[in-house]
Amino acid sequence: MIDQLQTYRAKRDFGRSAEPRGTSRASARSPQEHPFVVQKHDASRLHYDFRLGMEGVLRSWAVPKGIPVDKGERRLAKEVEDHPLEYGNFEGVIPEGNYGAGTVQLWDQGNYEVTGDSPEAAWRKGKLSLVLHGKKLKGHWALIRMHLQNEPDSKSWLLIKTVESLRGLSAKEANRSVASGKSMKEISRSRRVWKSAPRARRKPQDSFKARIREMIAGEGPGA
Ligand code: MN
């Protein structure tokens, strides 16, 4: 069986970044449940990572200009390597010198449905009619693979806002993590902790993860 996370792992050094390695087998999550996550990622270029859970991994797209909110608005979404499901709970700083170095914020989380098809079949066809049930993103979107003459196996997709416009998110909502309530700047401060105590990496990392888990299980977005 092909390891779906081979590319993901090959790009990263898990001794130097707190990103999850991912379990080799699909997680215990029920196959009927389809999680989605949007991570704001201040890497060499700021972008939003749009991830849809299916077949035991998070299929992933980098959306440079952010998720469209006005009906008919479309944004380029570049397909990237599958990520482990655990990545859907990752927030923190990828240290300099590592792949994707920069701050990662859990911008939105929830579940999604695909109308008229299973997510897996729709993904293979390159056309997903999405209903997102997130904390910020609620409603209909479409994700469509572009067919380019010079790129037969296209990694370029369009993420399109369909059916209705999303009500405006307040500046506070738009800037804060749905998991921790933190701004990008506040998350980026955690970098110091990891850099100053590289030998004790395991402990702060575990407590960080536990904190994120608590926050996700708890009240949701902080005030
Ligand atoms: Mn990214």
Side-chain angles (χ1 to χ4, degrees), residues 24-45:
S24 52
R25 299 203 66 244
S27 90
R29 198 183 260 278
S30 119
Q32 278 74 43
E33 232 180 289
H34 287 100
F36 88 92
V37 62
V38 179
Q39 281 153 320
K40 188 173 180 179
H41 186 185
D42 190 9
S44 49
R45 281 186 195 172

Side-chain angles (χ1 to χ4, degrees), residues 70-134:
D70 293 327
K71 185 182 172 182
E73 200 180 1
R74 47 186 64 199
R75 295 281 167 82
L76 181 70
K78 203 76 183 168
E79 190 182 332
V80 298
E81 76 274 17
D82 294 342
H83 280 50
L85 286 173
E86 295 93 317
Y87 211 93
N89 287 327
F90 176 74
E91 179 170 277
V93 178
I94 302 170
E96 265 172 57
N98 291 277
Y99 181 75
T103 303
V104 177
Q105 180 192 58
L106 283 166
W107 191 83
D108 200 14
Q109 286 177 316
N111 289 296
Y112 74 95
E113 298 167 66
V114 169
T115 50
D117 230 334
S118 74
E120 295 78 11
W123 180 77
R124 288 201 170 79
K125 286 178 197 161
K127 190 174 188 297
L128 297 93
S129 294
L130 295 165
V131 186
L132 301 181
H133 307 283

Side-chain angles (χ1 to χ4, degrees), residues 16-210:
R16 299 182 60 217
S17 169
E19 293 166 287
R21 190 172 191 284
T23 50
S24 52
R25 299 203 66 244
S27 90
R29 198 183 260 278
S30 119
Q32 278 74 43
E33 232 180 289
H34 287 100
F36 88 92
V37 62
V38 179
Q39 281 153 320
K40 188 173 180 179
H41 186 185
D42 190 9
S44 49
R45 281 186 195 172
L46 180 75
H47 61 274
Y48 290 74
D49 289 299
F50 184 72
R51 310 189 196 279
L52 300 175
M54 63 179 89
E55 298 177 323
V57 292
L58 292 172
R59 301 240 186 269
S60 298
W61 292 262
V63 188
K65 293 191 171 167
I67 311 304
V69 292
D70 293 327
K71 185 182 172 182
E73 200 180 1
R74 47 186 64 199
R75 295 281 167 82
L76 181 70
K78 203 76 183 168
E79 190 182 332
V80 298
E81 76 274 17
D82 294 342
H83 280 50
L85 286 173
E86 295 93 317
Y87 211 93
N89 287 327
F90 176 74
E91 179 170 277
V93 178
I94 302 170
E96 265 172 57
N98 291 277
Y99 181 75
T103 303
V104 177
Q105 180 192 58
L106 283 166
W107 191 83
D108 200 14
Q109 286 177 316
N111 289 296
Y112 74 95
E113 298 167 66
V114 169
T115 50
D117 230 334
S118 74
E120 295 78 11
W123 180 77
R124 288 201 170 79
K125 286 178 197 161
K127 190 174 188 297
L128 297 93
S129 294
L130 295 165
V131 186
L132 301 181
H133 307 283
K135 287 176 182 155
K136 295 177 186 175
L137 302 176
K138 298 175 201 291
H140 298 78
W141 278 262
L143 187 57
I144 294 166
R145 190 196 300 272
M146 292 167 79
H147 292 283
L148 306 172
Q149 279 188 336
N150 54 355
E151 203 186 342
D153 191 18
S154 176
K155 300 282 183 199
S156 298
W157 298 61
L158 284 175
L159 182 59
I160 306 165
K161 184 73 193 80
T162 56
V163 184
E164 74 290 295
S165 292
L166 188 73
R167 62 165 183 84
L169 294 171
S170 71
K172 192 181 169 186
E173 271 183 296
N175 290 326
R176 297 275 160 182
S177 161
V178 288
S180 66
K182 288 181 179 174
S183 66
M184 292 294 277
K185 199 174 174 185
E186 286 165 341
I187 296 163
S188 73
R189 287 184 197 135
S190 60
R191 171 194 292 212
R192 264 182 246 134
V193 178
W194 295 355
K195 270 202 166 171
S196 62
R199 294 289 155 210
R201 202 193 289 116
R202 206 159 251 294
K203 228 175 178 176
Q205 209 187 95
D206 289 347
S207 60
F208 173 80
K209 283 180 182 165

